[in-house]
Amino acid sequence: EVAFSASLLDTGSAYIGPFTKHTTLVFQHVLTDIGMAYNNHTGIFIAPVRGAYHFKWYICTYGSSYATGAVLVKNSEYTFLAYEHQSYYYTTSSNGVTLLLEVGDDVVLRLWPGTRVYDNINEQRTTFSGHLLFTM
């Protein structure tokens, strides 16, 4: 059994980004980590068993000229992107993907260049989660 769910910040509120290159997001506030496969110091999920895994992420920023965007990366290979831009109030986007992972494959969520995300420990608006659907 493998499942994790985390929000970006462990305390307070903050914007992360923008950066000029893809930057790994480290989700520090881990609510669930069954199987201990997610590292909240590096932001890396490492598959402990071969199987089909489902990941989903929700990202947010608050009224500015910056878009919000994050891409799921498997072993340095970009998969799906969540991206949205509007200049007022909250901007949110989300996405999900099911991947076949081998033991030791790594999965991270990276901030898209030129974008930013916002999180607040009381609202937990930027989150990342994943779970094993079945082994193979």
Side-chain angles (χ1 to χ4, degrees), residues 64-128:
S64 74
S65 58
Y66 293 106
T68 190
V71 61
L72 191 83
V73 182
K74 171 193 168 189
N75 296 333
S76 301
E77 178 184 329
Y78 291 39
T79 63
F80 291 174
L81 170 70
Y83 183 94
E84 180 63 39
H85 183 243
Q86 71 182 33
S87 58
Y88 60 93
Y89 205 57
Y90 283 103
T91 299
T92 62
S93 187
S94 62
N95 212 336
V97 63
T98 298
L99 300 172
L100 173 60
L101 299 181
E102 302 293 335
V103 173
D105 281 351
D106 65 84
V107 175
V108 298
L109 196 63
R110 291 196 180 139
L111 188 64
W112 198 257
T115 68
R116 72 180 188 178
V117 291
Y118 169 80
D119 199 19
N120 179 316
I121 190 63
N122 296 318
E123 300 169 344
Q124 299 172 342
R125 292 182 175 262
T126 298
T127 62
F128 182 34

Side-chain angles (χ1 to χ4, degrees), residues 1-4 45 47-55 99 101 130-136:
E1 296 179 350
V2 181
F4 79 95
F45 172 87
V49 297
R50 182 177 193 269
Y53 291 80
H54 186 74
F55 296 93
L99 300 172
L101 299 181
H131 63 276
L132 175 66
L133 297 172
F134 51 87
T135 59
M136 296 183 68

Side-chain angles (χ1 to χ4, degrees), residues 15-36:
Y15 290 98
I16 308 297
F19 302 108
T20 58
K21 62 181 184 175
H22 291 97
T23 303
T24 298
L25 292 169
V26 179
F27 290 79
Q28 301 170 352
H29 186 73
V30 178
L31 298 175
T32 304
D33 191 5
I34 300 165
M36 304 302 289

